[in-house]
Amino acid sequence: MQTNVANQTSNITVEDDRTGLSIETLKRAFADNLFYIQGKLAILANFTDYYMALSYTTRDRLLQRWLQTLKVYHEQDIKTVYYLSAEFLMGRHLGNSLINLDLYESIEQAVRESGLDLTEVLEQEPDPGLGNGGLGRLAACFLDSLATLEIPAMGYGIRYEFGIFNQSIQHGWQVEIPDKWLRCGNPWEVVRYESTVQVKFGGHTEIYNDDRGRPHTRWIPSFTVEGIPHDTPVPGYQTNTVNTLRLWKAEAGEDFNFQAFNSGDYDGAVATKIKSETISKVLYPNDNTPQGRQLRLEQQFFFVSCSLQDIIRRHLNRYGRLDNLADHAAVQLNDTHPAISIAEMMRLLVDEHGLFWDEAWRITQNTFAYTNHTLMPEALERWGVPLFESLLPRHLEIIYEINHRFMQDVQTWFPDDDELLSRLSIIEEGGGKKVRMANLATIGSHAVNGVAALHTELLKQDVLKDFYKLWPEKFNNKTNGVTPRRWVLLANPALSGLITEKIGDTWLKHLDELRKIEAFVDDHDFRDRWRQIKQANKQKLADYIRTHNGVEVDVNSIFDIQVKRIHEYKRQHLDLLHIIGLYLRIKQNPSIDITPRTFVFGGKAAPGYFMAKLIIKAINAVADVVNRDPDVHGRIKVVFLANFSASLGQLIYPAADLSEQISTAGKEASGTGNMKFTMNGALTIGTLDGANIEIREEVGDDNFFLFGLTASEVEEMKSKGYNPRDYYESNEELRNVLDRLAMGYFSPGEKDLFKPLVDSLLHHDDYMLLADYQAYSDCQAKVSEAYQDVEKWTTMSILNVARSGKFSSDRTIKEYCDEIWNVKPVKVELQPYDPAKATINVGS
Ligand SMILES: *Cc1c(COP(=O)(O)O)cnc(C)c1O
């Protein structure tokens, strides 16, 4: 086992329990932590105890690097990236920390020698699900890459007490269960009470004159909430850098209804406490569909205000002035969720720190950059002015002032274009005034980016085209990526081992080096092992399916997988229509020659999204019929895996033969699941949407199953008046498929159950399933044929992995660093921890 960490133990003869890396020391530390931290005798300990003890053992080894990193950042003149995101879908910490610290193999051995299996211990960790899907997972991959690239960075977000709900499937329907991820304690966080901040809400504003007679505005809030920082270390891969994810927990203010308490009004006092703590209580489970709830705006402002106050406090401690803030801080807004930052930064600079408006505006624009994540108009955040006014009265004034100045600029650039003014305005008029957060973010930032080439082009031509006309130089593309450490090394150790054996292990930091495995594409032994590894990964998933779904699947069938949030634009129901089509062909001719397939679905639906929940029910209803029908002879199986999450993803992506990326062209901003599948040797069936386009460009047309309308064809068809019924009438198979669903063939006893789904397709079909059905079905036939040719499929699979290097989030982050943030790496040298020295310095 090779260790890349600095040699901090070389001249220490007896290893310290909290830092030593030898197997003996790790075993002793594990046993000690079981006894002293979990308070358990080894004979009475359960797997949670083992997990906790092992986490503390690992955390001790992280802490030296973490504190050393903080020290270096404190001492040097650096620029820091602040990534503001309402969601961080981190995935389990323990396995990833072991990987990034290069401790995995030693710990595995230490745990084995203690009589346990490491993978079983890793399974005990609750998955910290503080995000909905792709957007939150992107934030997590970015933090991994920032630390790996040794960039000073901090993630800021909310410490939700309840993350994304756990999904269970009952009678085919999704049932939501609260996610009590903190129940057993969280060994990965350190609470920093000393850095608590105050956040104001409500009330009113007033004007006052300062001692020089200058007018200022003061915000008199109606209540104040405290933000308590909870810090989690974020280690880079094979480096000493450990950055920080700082999540804020809301608590009642220090003087929380002291009077009520004193006068005996305990109910009133408790009500205040509950109201405060509600702010960080639960993650909103909507993905790509905002709900204009007051609590959601409170959450956004809460974490933004905490984070910006924290950034300013640290900057003032170091430099004692604010004019140079943008030289030392780059703040990235992950979608519009933190866009209130623009107004809050202006308020802090002008109202609280006495800067002039123009100076404050220059600093704000130079500090912020905004990432757009969606093209769907209904997903753009807009807040009603009355809500805004009652919750954030001062911010509404500031937004009006920003808008007024901006409108004046536009009028001088483009005189007399009222239409243009109303489209650019931060305030949407008519039907109740609204604050458009995307406009605020765009105006207040120096850079605006999309997350894949097509998405950025569509932003420029469509959603933000008027802003593009004003400031073409602000717009840029940053195609998303994923970290190969979690998604290949941790998720697929066997494939990683084979690759490392052939080309060394530097590919994990320089993913383009995967190209070198193309040299082995004709190597018989290599190809054989490639297939064996995929087969073993499929077997693991098959075992999971047997345990969790009670369904037996054939590991020689095509594992055809669609896992992602359930959304009409992602078109899980197109996948389902194809399955029903295949099934009807079998029913018509039971001896038909079919390439066996296992269709696997997974994903959560927003609890209030009726159609998405009906799609889940439909998948399970079809599964019930197909999986039991003797005519099928097990040639096709349909499985819905409950509770898709980052940890389940680590099992699923490596087991896929076919990756379903079939969104309506122009709707999926980028996708990142598509990248994880590709890196693990699955082939993609997909539309020309999001990053699919770039994946196809990289792997080659011959190694990608393309089908469907393009984004411009979708637009053109819609503008000419799309009539889905035409496809129903002219396509017999499609008609049969829809009729069976509508007739209740898959819902005995509830014949109208799926009628809303079918009606929506026949009468609206906003996402053009019927227009794409035949092309999809034909393309699936090509997939089946290609799979029959094992040698051809193997070559395609190898080439997909070899050419997936572009999709490392390291590449994405390098582009952000160079083109948006203007930040440089900072090396952290590890000093051996010396307890004696630490003791002497206390109190000095
Ligand atoms: C990667 C990932 C996603 C995003 O998947 P898409 O296919 O890009 O929508 C969502 N959820 C989890 C848990 C993920 O790991």
Side-chain angles (χ1 to χ4, degrees):
M1 139 98 212
Q2 57 165 56
T3 299
N4 263 36
V5 231
N7 245 324
Q8 82 271 33
T9 54
S10 56
N11 44 20
I12 301 175
T13 43
V14 180
E15 285 191 334
D16 177 43
D17 255 16
R18 309 197 84 161
T19 59
L21 300 173
S22 73
I23 305 296
E24 281 315 307
T25 304
L26 293 172
K27 278 162 69 176
R28 200 172 59 228
F30 177 52
D32 264 14
N33 286 335
L34 203 55
F35 190 92
Y36 287 107
I37 296 195
Q38 280 310 96
K40 279 281 177 82
L41 291 172
I43 47 160
L44 296 177
N46 59 28
F47 267 94
T48 301
D49 298 320
Y50 298 142
Y51 157 68
M52 294 293 278
L54 197 59
S55 295
Y56 280 104
T57 306
T58 306
R59 190 179 106 158
D60 282 341
R61 275 123 195 111
L62 264 173
L63 268 164
Q64 306 171 321
R65 291 177 182 75
W66 193 13
L67 299 189
Q68 184 61 24
T69 302
L70 295 178
K71 179 163 178 276
V72 169
Y73 291 173
H74 183 71
E75 288 166 354
Q76 293 187 22
D77 200 33
I78 57 170
K79 183 168 183 182
T80 304
V81 174
Y82 297 104
Y83 199 79
L84 266 60
S85 179
E87 303 185 10
F88 286 91
L89 197 50
M90 297 297 285
R92 289 178 174 147
H93 291 292
L94 179 52
N96 187 246
S97 299
L98 295 177
I99 289 274
N100 281 15
L101 292 174
D102 230 333
L103 262 178
Y104 198 97
E105 288 155 52
S106 327
I107 286 281
E108 191 171 41
Q109 189 183 339
V111 167
R112 194 182 329 117
E113 291 180 11
S114 308
L116 295 164
D117 172 33
L118 177 60
T119 52
E120 213 173 326
V121 178
L122 297 183
E123 287 291 311
Q124 303 306 310
E125 180 172 357
D127 196 328
L130 307 189
N132 273 288
L135 173 143
R137 185 53 231 176
L138 182 76
C141 283
F142 280 4
L143 293 186
D144 183 87
S145 285
L146 282 160
T148 299
L149 294 169
E150 305 179 310
I151 304 295
M154 201 153 162
Y156 275 119
I158 301 171
R159 181 181 176 273
Y160 300 106
E161 188 178 332
F162 300 99
I164 187 68
F165 62 85
N166 284 312
Q167 177 195 54
S168 102
I169 301 296
Q170 294 177 18
H171 309 292
W173 294 101
Q174 165 174 300
V175 173
E176 301 92 20
I177 295 162
D179 165 41
K180 301 181 184 170
W181 71 290
L182 292 168
R183 195 176 30 202
C184 299
N186 176 6
W188 302 103
E189 69 187 6
V190 175
V191 191
R192 307 282 189 196
Y193 290 101
E194 70 280 13
S195 301
T196 296
V197 299
Q198 311 289 321
V199 180
K200 303 185 231 183
F201 287 97
H204 62 278
T205 65
E206 59 186 35
I207 311 269
Y208 69 98
N209 288 325
D210 66 14
D211 43 18
R212 282 188 279 169
R214 291 185 315 186
H216 294 274
T217 304
R218 184 154 53 202
W219 176 16
I220 318 291
S222 58
F223 67 102
T224 302
V225 170
E226 286 190 347
I228 320 285
H230 289 60
D231 290 359
T232 298
V234 181
Y237 178 63
Q238 296 189 345
T239 156
N240 292 320
T241 298
V242 177
N243 284 330
T244 300
L245 169 61
R246 173 162 284 186
L247 301 178
W248 300 96
K249 176 178 192 280
E251 288 190 5
E254 50 185 22
D255 58 336
F256 95 85
N257 242 346
F258 197 62
Q259 279 184 332
F261 217 93
N262 270 349
S263 66
D265 176 12
Y266 293 111
D267 293 357
V270 170
T272 308
K273 184 171 156 60
I274 288 174
K275 161 131 185 65
S276 305
E277 294 181 352
T278 299
I279 292 177
S280 58
K281 195 58 86 179
V282 62
L283 168 75
Y284 275 95
N286 302 314
D287 187 71
N288 263 311
T289 43
Q291 272 180 307
R293 303 295 294 271
Q294 170 162 341
L295 180 60
R296 172 74 176 180
L297 182 57
E298 288 173 8
Q299 290 185 334
Q300 294 184 351
F301 178 66
F302 166 71
F303 97 90
V304 158
S305 182
C306 288
S307 308
L308 298 186
Q309 289 186 60
D310 202 42
I311 291 168
I312 288 175
R313 175 185 53 79
R314 257 202 319 278
H315 182 87
L316 281 175
N317 276 345
R318 179 76 171 74
Y319 298 100
R321 46 189 258 229
L322 287 169
D323 61 299
N324 60 346
L325 181 65
D327 300 336
H328 297 282
V331 184
Q332 192 67 32
L333 305 175
N334 196 22
D335 211 328
T336 55
H337 314 149
I340 188 62
S341 287
I342 303 298
E344 173 66 352
M345 181 62 98
M346 288 301 288
R347 188 191 69 83
L348 290 167
L349 295 179
V350 174
D351 293 358
E352 307 259 338
H353 294 280
L355 272 68
F356 289 113
W357 181 279
D358 290 328
E359 169 78 339
W361 186 243
R362 178 190 65 78
I363 295 169
T364 299
Q365 279 194 317
N366 288 334
T367 302
F368 288 98
Y370 158 53
T371 303
N372 174 286
H373 282 272
T374 183
L375 293 162
M376 294 194 300
E378 69 270 28
L380 293 174
E381 287 193 297
R382 289 153 29 233
W383 295 104
V385 164
L387 169 61
F388 224 97
E389 188 160 27
S390 73
L391 202 64
L392 303 170
R394 179 56 183 145
H395 296 79
L396 187 62
E397 291 174 1
I398 289 171
I399 286 170
Y400 279 143
E401 181 64 23
I402 293 170
N403 202 41
H404 174 70
R405 289 165 180 251
F406 174 58
M407 293 282 100
Q408 281 188 327
D409 285 345
V410 175
Q411 235 151 359
T412 56
W413 300 329
F414 298 92
D416 303 321
D417 190 342
D418 286 352
E419 294 279 304
L420 180 68
L421 279 178
S422 81
R423 291 197 303 269
L424 287 170
S425 174
I426 302 173
I427 307 299
E428 184 176 294
E429 309 277 347
K433 282 194 187 183
K434 294 207 163 90
V435 182
R436 295 164 167 159
M437 301 309 276
N439 294 29
L440 176 62
T442 303
I443 295 163
S445 298
H446 67 279
V448 177
N449 73 283
V451 290
L454 173 71
H455 172 229
T456 301
E457 282 315 302
L458 295 174
L459 275 184
K460 295 197 281 194
Q461 293 164 23
D462 188 25
V463 187
L464 297 176
K465 66 166 181 286
D466 299 309
F467 289 105
Y468 179 61
K469 213 159 66 173
L470 297 189
W471 301 305
E473 69 287 352
K474 267 196 195 185
F475 287 77
N476 67 93
N477 176 245
K478 297 286 168 282
T479 299
N480 284 167
V482 301
T483 171
R485 273 75 65 179
R486 180 177 294 271
W487 296 113
V488 186
L489 183 55
L490 184 58
N492 201 342
L495 190 71
S496 303
L498 175 60
I499 293 169
T500 294
E501 187 187 309
K502 295 297 179 191
I503 66 171
D505 67 359
T506 50
W507 60 276
L508 283 156
K509 279 199 178 202
H510 306 275
L511 204 65
D512 286 326
E513 291 182 10
L514 282 176
R515 288 259 174 194
K516 294 183 191 160
I517 66 171
E518 280 194 42
F520 301 91
V521 74
D522 295 321
D523 177 326
H524 182 79
D525 171 66
F526 181 79
R527 296 169 62 87
D528 236 28
R529 287 169 66 193
W530 190 272
R531 282 191 290 262
Q532 281 165 20
I533 288 164
K534 179 62 79 181
Q535 205 70 0
N537 292 339
K538 287 168 75 173
Q539 186 61 58
K540 267 175 62 185
L541 181 59
D543 294 344
Y544 183 93
I545 292 170
R546 184 188 311 109
T547 321
H548 291 81
N549 293 57
V551 175
E552 201 62 50
V553 302
D554 173 8
V555 289
N556 295 312
S557 66
I558 304 176
F559 274 29
D560 175 336
I561 306 189
Q562 188 171 22
V563 284
K564 50 183 72 235
R565 285 301 289 250
I566 311 293
H567 212 299
E568 287 163 282
Y569 86 80
K570 291 175 182 278
R571 301 201 295 191
Q572 280 90 358
H573 45 341
L574 178 58
D575 199 333
L576 189 64
L577 295 185
H578 167 248
I579 296 171
I580 299 172
L582 266 184
Y583 175 66
L584 295 184
R585 276 178 241 166
I586 293 174
K587 292 305 282 180
Q588 217 160 47
N589 173 13
S591 62
I592 191 176
D593 189 22
I594 288 244
T595 309
R597 286 214 201 203
T598 301
F599 296 94
V600 178
F601 293 87
K604 295 173 184 176
Y609 187 171
F610 167 76
M611 202 59 85
K613 291 179 121 176
L614 191 59
I615 290 171
I616 293 176
K617 173 67 179 172
I619 293 167
N620 285 309
V622 171
D624 275 348
V625 172
V626 168
N627 295 352
R628 287 160 207 266
D629 190 328
D631 285 349
V632 174
H633 279 295
R635 285 170 295 175
I636 60 176
K637 286 271 165 73
V638 182
V639 174
F640 189 94
L641 289 177
N643 206 33
F644 180 58
S645 57
S647 45
L648 197 49
Q650 288 169 214
L651 175 69
I652 293 173
Y653 295 115
D657 294 307
L658 188 66
S659 157
E660 296 274 353
Q661 306 301 335
I662 60 177
S663 52
T664 315
K667 298 295 179 196
E668 187 75 271
S670 163
T672 48
N674 46 7
M675 301 166 185
K676 301 170 204 165
F677 278 112
T678 302
M679 277 179 201
N680 282 286
L683 308 189
T684 305
I685 181 164
T687 48
L688 285 176
D689 201 15
N692 295 353
I693 297 172
E694 291 158 75
I695 291 174
R696 178 166 171 267
E697 248 164 47
E698 293 292 308
V699 305
D701 306 3
D702 297 343
N703 302 304
F704 187 105
F705 297 98
L706 178 71
F707 76 95
L709 299 170
T710 64
S712 55
E713 286 166 352
V714 166
E715 280 315 303
E716 193 188 316
M717 227 181 209
K718 286 204 168 160
S719 68
K720 285 184 178 157
Y722 168 57
N723 184 7
R725 246 203 124 79
D726 296 345
Y727 293 89
Y728 172 84
E729 315 256 316
S730 64
N731 187 325
E732 191 188 340
E733 181 177 276
L734 177 59
R735 190 165 60 246
N736 284 333
V737 167
L738 290 170
D739 286 348
R740 294 284 176 126
L741 254 184
M743 266 157 45
Y745 186 91
F746 298 101
S747 49
E750 287 175 281
K751 83 177 185 25
D752 291 336
L753 185 61
F754 299 120
K755 205 162 174 300
L757 186 55
V758 176
D759 283 347
S760 151
L761 292 176
L762 286 179
H763 302 132
H764 309 284
D765 196 15
D766 291 338
Y767 300 104
M768 320 287 275
L769 280 79
L770 303 205
D772 270 343
Y773 177 82
Q774 195 56 51
Y776 180 57
S777 185
D778 294 344
C779 192
Q780 287 286 23
K782 285 189 198 149
V783 170
S784 290
E785 195 188 314
Y787 194 76
Q788 302 279 357
D789 186 343
V790 178
E791 295 305 332
K792 177 177 163 186
W793 191 277
T794 305
T795 300
M796 290 166 79
S797 169
I798 294 169
L799 293 180
N800 265 262
V801 175
R803 299 170 182 180
S804 66
K806 174 175 174 182
F807 305 102
S808 167
S809 45
D810 296 347
R811 187 267 314 147
T812 315
I813 286 298
K814 282 197 193 100
E815 293 177 5
Y816 276 96
C817 288
D818 295 344
E819 297 162 26
I820 298 181
W821 301 330
N822 188 27
V823 293
K824 302 247 147 0
V826 171
K827 269 257 170 288
V828 176
E829 306 293 346
L830 200 60
Q831 312 283 311
Y833 171 70
D834 182 349
K837 219 168 167 183
T839 317
I840 289 163
N841 284 338
V842 166
S844 68

